[in-house]
Amino acid sequence: MRIALIGYGKMGKEIEQIALDRGHEIGLIIDQHNPKDLCADQLQNIDVAIEFTNPDSAFGNYLKCFEANVPVVSGTTGWLDRLPEIEKQCKEGKGFFYASNFSLGVNLFFELNKKLTKLMAPFKEYNVDMEEIHHIHKLDSPSGTALTLAEGIIENHPKKDKWIEATSMKEDELSILAKRHGAVPGTHSITWHSEVDEIMIQHQAYSRKGFALGAVLAAEFMPKKEGFYGMKDLLQL
């Protein structure tokens, strides 16, 4: 495939290397120095765009790709207030693949989190909270991964209605403690605790390679597709 990379930071460079190793071609690279190159003329021979930028520019990037009928794979978080507009575009024939986290291990962790929540829900003796740790350059807090985990708890626990980025003693609130340290790729811990014991599940990423491989696999999945897709579609979870 000919891939457009929109965003060329550490993640973009990791994606580039994996894509090249898998036999693909990088036909266009967009970063802060050449945003005007993201246009129909430059996209005309592109099979799929992989977008990892920031919440302020992501939505506009999607629309420019859609105008050129190029499907998009995106891992940018923090823009989901405009998700209904993207879903509308997908119903009109555009292709979009979104994940808050492209790691295979994290997506299995999402499913484990839901299953554990269903098991714990009947037992009022246990409360649950979450901690996430990311590198200091992470722009959004809590992370998109943490919010997906929070949604998995709220959807499957009758007493949890919302999350809060603080310590809360309220029964209906899920506490999320978001930390930013050094160059940590990402650690997420969910703890169910009672007066007598606790149960913890945790995912810890060692590098960006797992995320980058997932993004390239998603790109391989998307050419000529219409509609809205995610990791469940790719991994058939």
Side-chain angles (χ1 to χ4, degrees), residues 6 65 82 88-89 99 142-143 147 169 174-175 187 221 227-228:
I6 307 173
C65 292
R82 306 197 72 173
K88 182 175 183 293
Q89 292 267 350
S143 67
L147 296 184
M169 302 303 294
L174 171 64
S175 298
T187 299
F221 175 82
F228 190 100

Side-chain angles (χ1 to χ4, degrees), residues 112-121 152-153 156-157 192:
L112 178 61
N113 174 54
K114 293 176 186 177
K115 291 182 185 299
L116 181 57
T117 301
K118 290 176 183 178
L119 287 172
M120 300 301 292
I153 294 170
N156 292 286
H157 198 291
W192 294 85

Side-chain angles (χ1 to χ4, degrees), residues 158-173:
K159 292 186 178 178
K160 294 297 179 185
D161 295 329
K162 55 183 174 291
W163 61 266
I164 181 172
E165 191 181 354
T167 300
S168 174
M169 302 303 294
K170 294 182 180 179
E171 193 176 50
D172 64 336
E173 292 182 340

Side-chain angles (χ1 to χ4, degrees), residues 60-91:
N61 294 336
Y62 306 154
L63 295 185
K64 290 175 183 177
C65 292
F66 289 163
E67 288 171 6
N69 290 314
V70 173
V72 178
V73 172
S74 181
T76 303
T77 57
W79 60 272
L80 293 181
D81 56 320
R82 306 197 72 173
L83 181 60
E85 297 172 70
I86 295 298
E87 291 174 331
K88 182 175 183 293
Q89 292 267 350
C90 290
K91 290 176 182 177

